[in-house]
Amino acid sequence: MSQVHIKDEERIGCDAKIRLEPSVYLKKLYDSGTPDLEWMNQMGEWGVRAKPGNLGLRLKDIEIGSYGVVPEHGGAHRSMAPRGATIVEELPSLGFTINEKAECWAENAAELYEEAVARQWSSARDIPWAELKPLPDDLERAMCQLCTFLTEVEFIAADAPTRWMSKMNQDFFEVKMFLATQAMDEARHMDVFRKRALANGGGLGKASALSELSLKKIFDAPSFSAQTGRLHLLGEGFVLTLFRQGEFIAPSRVDQEIFRRCMQDESRHVGYGTMHLRAQLKANPAVAEEIHDQLDDAERILLETFSVPEAVEPMAILMGGGIKNFDKGMEMQSQLWRRIVHEYLQRCDSAGLDRRPRCILPTDFNKLVEAA
Amino acid sequence: MPSFPEARWFQTLGQLMQTEGELFRRLGYAETRFAVRIIPDNNSNGGDRIVGLTIDGYQLSEVKPIADLNEFDPDFVICGKREIWDRMLQEIAEHGRPELRHTLSSLALVGEELWLESTDQLREDKFYRFNQTLQELLNLASKVPE
């Protein structure tokens, strides 16, 4: 093997402030020529042979033996030592504070992680931007305002949960891996809606103080589960329906492709949130009150958000097919509002949260006038 | 040749799915068991039929007529009148895909012409998680030999 040339090799370390002591082990190795090999006796469960399924070797395929056991309480060492490895003493703690499984776990976390990895897409490659055609001014302005809103709100679902991600015990790595994919998804959503706003003769529209308030409340949630209720159950559930509406109202195949792909991503996030809350509420029913409190406030802000022109009118214009059909667009929006509320409450049911008696979202869109 | 909504017609879609493997691999795998319910319209062109389908990765691994939905236990059922299914298939035959507002997702959103039934919202959400795969599967109808 040829020797690698390292530039200015003689200068390396000439001003170093730390002097390394020679390794006792390496000295012994060089002197005796006999390897230690003690580490070979310090394995986790040995003889494990995970078999790939028809879709390759997935996380569920390596959930075997002791490696498949997710502890109720995360490792007391609070380090990143891999679950199932031999734990040595004096591991420095990383100070994880979410150490109970119920605080972050969802049974579908590994499944959703693998699915997310398999279904990644590229806004540059997979959106047929070249097919974008000029739209009537009112439709382009409405689409750009909608894209502005989505560009503004989407990345909260990366920023907010990843604050907690770094506090999660490493024994729940499947959840961390899923949240990492969610962060990647949200980066792509922010990217694709920004690109869409700038790609067809329009531009970004008006930012929203109410949206920002909503984001701040998500950011400041007092616990991961409380944040999940606010973010995944209501916020992302709402945006999921918005993406579905987006696909429906898309004035072009380009827009339809964008919304459909985002919809697929978003439904994974909602799926994780629903399952996490199901696990958490089953283990700790008292948490329900904390989540209810969050949702009380989040529903109120959502109603307020739907009380300003830049939130209501772009959707009505897009649904109606232009300002000339504004009334028709409002009527359609009214019909779809019921679906938003219906699906949100269904997800609460699925999570094991009896939200119906406390929900302040009216099922009739026209009552928003009174509720706001 | 088999015709919609015979189970064999869906099996042909499954064979085409394998032929068009790269398209589905690009979308990513899907794992869902669902059913398609075709309700006779006013002209009674065909009976009320339910076909159960399972997508396992990149293949349609199971297709069968369903008599008992509970036994099949699908994640969701896509329900629609025969004329709506026929219109979608006609548009797919002509353009390779349905019109913008006639996609599976758009029609299910409005919920009048096509709607979803499910026992659990979490399972129903698989319709959205794998939506593009479902739509591309149906779009293969344009390649079914007549």
Side-chain angles (χ1 to χ4, degrees):
Chain A
M1 187 185 290
S2 63
Q3 195 165 26
V4 175
H5 172 73
I6 297 177
K7 186 185 171 196
D8 295 341
E9 191 169 358
E10 69 285 358
R11 292 184 59 234
I12 296 174
C14 63
D15 291 335
K17 293 180 179 172
I18 295 175
R19 189 178 181 84
L20 281 180
E21 293 298 322
S23 158
V24 174
Y25 155 69
L26 284 177
K27 187 169 188 317
K28 184 180 167 192
L29 177 65
Y30 274 74
D31 288 348
S32 69
T34 307
D36 177 86
L37 300 183
E38 173 55 22
W39 54 270
M40 281 196 170
N41 300 319
Q42 305 240 349
M43 307 295 292
E45 192 179 342
W46 187 248
V48 176
R49 199 180 302 276
K51 290 190 173 59
N54 61 333
L55 296 173
L57 191 65
R58 292 191 283 175
L59 285 177
K60 72 173 187 179
D61 299 317
I62 60 167
E63 286 172 1
I64 44 180
S66 58
Y67 298 107
V69 178
V70 182
E72 292 299 318
H73 314 290
H77 48 83
R78 311 288 193 248
S79 79
M80 284 192 162
R83 191 177 78 208
T86 298
I87 303 301
V88 297
E89 291 187 1
E90 298 178 358
L91 287 171
S93 166
L94 295 185
F96 298 134
T97 55
I98 297 179
N99 294 302
E100 299 301 308
K101 181 181 178 184
E103 290 179 293
C104 64
W105 190 250
E107 285 302 326
N108 56 1
E111 171 193 339
L112 291 171
Y113 163 75
E114 293 280 12
E115 187 181 307
V117 171
R119 296 184 76 87
Q120 288 295 300
W121 51 280
S122 155
S123 70
R125 181 194 62 202
D126 295 319
I127 304 299
W129 295 106
E131 294 181 25
L132 208 49
K133 300 272 193 315
L135 290 174
D137 191 64
D138 53 349
L139 286 178
E140 184 61 28
R141 285 180 186 279
M143 181 56 77
C144 285
Q145 182 56 43
L146 177 60
C147 288
T148 303
F149 167 74
L150 291 169
T151 304
E152 185 169 15
V153 302
E154 276 298 273
F155 206 71
I156 193 68
D159 266 350
T162 50
R163 291 181 98 186
W164 295 99
M165 191 169 97
S166 65
K167 297 178 180 178
M168 287 176 188
N169 194 294
Q170 194 70 2
D171 280 351
F172 312 128
F173 65 85
E174 290 94 336
V175 173
K176 293 184 170 197
M177 290 161 74
F178 167 72
L179 290 175
T181 67
Q182 179 173 311
M184 184 62 225
D185 291 343
E186 301 301 358
R188 192 171 47 244
H189 296 180
M190 186 167 73
D191 134 24
V192 79
F193 288 113
R194 189 175 180 87
K195 283 176 181 168
R196 172 59 188 89
L198 304 184
N200 204 28
L204 290 169
K206 186 178 176 186
S208 160
L210 281 163
S211 295
E212 292 299 330
L213 175 62
S214 168
L215 304 185
K216 179 171 167 44
K217 292 292 188 95
I218 291 170
F219 211 60
D220 294 344
S223 71
F224 178 69
S225 295
Q227 184 182 85
T228 297
R230 193 160 198 137
L231 174 69
H232 290 93
L233 214 52
L234 181 61
E236 299 225 69
F238 170 73
V239 171
L240 171 57
T241 313
L242 205 63
F243 285 160
R244 293 176 57 204
Q245 291 177 22
E247 200 213 319
F248 175 69
I249 62 184
S252 71
R253 198 171 83 80
V254 175
D255 296 316
Q256 186 174 56
E257 193 77 22
I258 292 171
F259 283 111
R260 186 188 293 166
R261 285 182 182 267
C262 290
M263 171 182 81
Q264 295 185 130
D265 297 340
E266 207 77 358
S267 51
R268 287 194 297 274
H269 310 167
V270 172
Y272 164 75
T274 306
M275 281 297 267
H276 163 56
L277 290 176
R278 187 187 287 183
Q280 171 69 304
L281 290 167
K282 190 175 175 190
N284 302 298
V287 171
E289 192 53 34
E290 184 185 17
I291 295 168
H292 275 307
D293 286 345
Q294 291 291 321
L295 293 176
D296 287 346
D297 186 52
E299 289 172 5
R300 179 184 61 77
I301 295 175
L302 182 66
L303 290 177
E304 287 176 1
T305 304
F306 258 81
S307 67
V308 296
E310 62 268 29
V312 175
E313 294 176 4
M315 290 300 284
I317 291 169
L318 289 165
M319 281 190 189
I323 293 178
K324 63 182 186 300
N325 299 321
F326 189 80
D327 288 349
K328 180 185 164 199
M330 285 300 291
E331 192 182 317
M332 290 172 79
Q333 189 150 311
S334 165
Q335 289 168 9
L336 292 172
W337 175 262
R338 282 182 68 79
R339 184 165 298 280
I340 291 174
V341 177
H342 165 71
E343 291 185 357
Y344 163 57
L345 292 172
Q346 291 275 95
R347 288 192 188 97
C348 290
D349 290 346
S350 189
L353 187 74
D354 183 16
R355 185 65 196 162
R356 289 167 200 273
R358 247 171 105 157
C359 178
I360 62 167
L361 300 178
T363 53
D364 183 349
F365 187 77
N366 295 326
K367 288 188 181 160
L368 284 174
V369 177
E370 301 157 29
Chain B
M1 295 303 291
S3 60
F4 179 85
E6 292 172 24
R8 287 196 321 150
W9 184 85
F10 285 97
Q11 284 165 353
T12 307
L13 289 190
Q15 289 159 5
L16 287 164
M17 191 178 185
Q18 293 225 310
T19 311
E20 303 282 333
E22 187 48 36
L23 167 67
F24 290 92
R25 263 186 284 279
R26 185 83 172 256
L27 293 176
Y29 68 72
E31 288 181 308
T32 181
R33 182 172 62 245
F34 66 104
V36 171
R37 183 176 171 207
I38 302 99
I39 301 162
D41 57 38
N42 296 335
N43 299 322
S44 292
N45 50 349
D48 191 338
R49 296 221 200 161
I50 304 176
V51 181
L53 304 107
T54 302
I55 298 179
D56 184 12
Y58 307 106
Q59 60 177 342
L60 194 57
S61 60
E62 184 183 26
V63 177
K64 62 180 182 183
I66 298 296
D68 183 349
L69 265 176
N70 289 333
E71 192 183 323
F72 186 64
D73 190 29
D75 292 323
F76 53 86
V77 186
I78 311 172
C79 309
K81 284 195 171 182
R82 175 67 189 261
E83 61 187 313
I84 303 304
W85 288 109
D86 284 345
R87 184 187 65 194
M88 183 186 289
L89 295 176
Q90 182 64 33
E91 289 174 2
I92 289 171
E94 288 171 9
H95 310 293
R97 64 173 80 97
E99 289 180 12
L100 286 179
R101 290 200 174 186
H102 292 162
T103 60
L104 285 175
S105 173
S106 293
L107 290 173
L109 174 71
V110 179
E112 289 174 354
E113 296 185 327
L114 209 73
W115 64 95
L116 300 178
E117 290 177 356
S118 178
T119 54
D120 185 343
Q121 187 65 42
L122 198 64
R123 296 183 69 187
E124 181 177 319
D125 282 348
K126 285 191 177 183
F127 173 79
Y128 311 114
R129 272 162 60 186
F130 303 124
N131 191 265
Q132 190 133 4
T133 301
L134 300 174
Q135 188 64 62
E136 292 292 352
L137 177 67
L138 270 188
N139 289 355
L140 291 175
S142 65
K143 298 182 178 178
V144 174
E146 291 188 17

